[in-house]
Amino acid sequence: MATNKHALIRYKLLDKCFSNKWKKYFIDDLIEYCTAELTAYVGAKTKVSRRQLLDDITFMRSEGGYHAPILSVREGKRVYYCYDPPEFSILKQPLNASEQEQIKQVLETLGRISGVPQLEWLNAVQTKLSSGLKLDRQQRPVISFEENEFLRGLEYLEPLYQHIIHRQMLAITYKGFKQTDPTVYRIHPYYLKQYNNRWFLFGLNEDNGQIQNLALDRILAIRPLELLSYKNSDVDFDDYFYDILGVTNAIDREAEQVILKFTEDRLPYVLSKPIHGSQRYKDGFIYLNLKINRELESLVLSFGRDVEVIEPASFRDSIEQIVGELFQCYSFSRS
C-alpha cells in the first residue's frame, strides 16, 4: 500500500471518477482533477504525477488493495478509466488486513494516552471505534451509540475541517428548510459543532459581517474562493456557546435566570444529567443562566407535564402559548 500521506485521499478521488457514468476520465483528466482537489485540501499547490496515479490504479486493482474492477478502455490513441460495474466503490468495501492493522495500532496508542487528564473523552472514541469496526474477537454486538445513520452532509465534515485549519474562504451553496431556492453564502469558516446528532458550521458571512451557522445537512456544494483573502476570527467560541443551549445565539440578547420546577419523578433525572453547565438546584427548583432560544424551548417542551416554567415570565408565556395551540390541535382533531 502506498505510504504517501495523501494516498487515501487520491484513492477516494479516483473512486469518484471511475464511478462517474457520464464522463470519461483519461489520464490527463485524472491528473487535473486530483491536483485541483488536493491543492484545495492541503491549501498549497500539490502536483499529482502521471506515474503516481498509475501506481494508485495498480494498487486499487490489486489483492492487497480493493480488488477494484477498473477497466482501461482505449479510444483512439488514448485510454480512459472506469469501473465495471459502475456501481462499485472502494467506500463500500470492507477494510483490508493492512487497514485493520493500522487502525489497531491507532487504538493501542489511544489506549496509552486515554488516562491523561482532560483526555478522558478518548475512552468513548476508542470504544466506538473498536465496536464499529469489529476489530476484536467478539462477533455479537454488545454496545451501540446514538447516531443518525441517515444524516446527510457528513461528507462535508472533513473538507470543512481542512478549510478551517488552512484558512480558506468558501462559497457555500445552501438551501434551508424554508427556502425555495438555494443561496450562495460567502463564508470565512471558523468552527464546527455537533448538537442533537447534527453538525453545524460557524463562520463570518462576508456580506453582512455577522457570525452565521449552517447545518451541514442543508449544504449542497462547497467551493474555495482563492482570490478573496481570509479574515481571521476574533470570536472565542467557548464564550460564544457559554450561555446558550444548542447552536442558536442571538448576540444582542442577554442571558436570563430561568427557573424550572420538575415533578418528583423527573427531578432525579435532571439532577443526574444537568441541562446546562450553569444548572443549580435549590429548594426544589432548577436554576439556569441562559439566553432563551429555540433549543431551550424545545428541550422544555420535551419534558411534557413533568416540568413547569416559573421564570422568566416571557418564557413562561411563550411555553403556555405553544401548549395552548397544541391543546387546540388535538381538541380540533377529536371534534
Side-chain angles (χ1 to χ4, degrees), residues 285-320:
F285 295 93
I286 294 292
Y287 293 80
L288 303 164
N289 190 52
L290 289 170
K291 293 181 180 181
I292 309 299
N293 63 8
R294 180 169 293 184
E295 290 91 326
L296 178 61
E297 182 181 271
S298 297
L299 180 67
V300 168
L301 289 170
S302 73
F303 287 113
R305 62 184 181 182
D306 289 339
V307 66
E308 177 186 359
V309 177
I310 306 300
E311 292 184 9
S314 59
F315 187 38
R316 180 184 175 93
D317 292 343
S318 176
I319 296 297
E320 183 179 355

Side-chain angles (χ1 to χ4, degrees), residues 142-209:
V142 296
I143 187 171
S144 65
F145 295 85
E146 182 179 2
E147 58 186 18
N148 184 354
E149 61 183 294
F150 305 107
L151 185 64
R152 295 183 298 176
L154 292 180
E155 67 272 20
Y156 296 119
L157 188 59
E158 172 63 15
L160 285 171
Y161 175 80
Q162 294 297 330
H163 288 307
I164 291 172
I165 64 176
H166 290 108
R167 301 181 180 182
Q168 291 179 306
M169 187 178 172
L170 302 172
I172 299 179
T173 305
Y174 189 85
K175 186 177 180 182
F177 289 112
K178 297 181 179 180
Q179 291 180 258
T180 303
D181 299 309
T183 301
V184 178
Y185 294 110
R186 297 191 297 169
I187 299 291
H188 304 268
Y190 295 150
Y191 197 84
L192 290 162
K193 180 178 175 65
Q194 186 181 34
Y195 176 73
N196 197 25
N197 279 330
R198 297 178 73 200
W199 281 96
F200 298 84
L201 170 72
F202 291 78
L204 178 68
N205 186 312
E206 170 70 15
D207 298 310
N208 62 23

Side-chain angles (χ1 to χ4, degrees), residues 222-233:
I222 296 172
R223 177 171 57 86
L225 295 175
E226 304 289 354
L227 299 180
L228 296 178
S229 60
Y230 181 85
K231 295 178 181 177
N232 291 318
S233 173

Side-chain angles (χ1 to χ4, degrees), residues 13 72 79 202 213 224 233-234 281:
L13 294 174
S72 303
V79 172
F202 291 78
N213 79 69
S233 173
D234 58 0
Y281 174 70

Side-chain angles (χ1 to χ4, degrees), residues 104 130-143:
K104 285 181 180 179
S130 296
S131 172
L133 298 173
K134 298 180 175 63
L135 297 178
D136 54 20
R137 296 179 180 178
Q138 175 70 42
Q139 297 299 315
R140 181 173 57 87
V142 296
I143 187 171

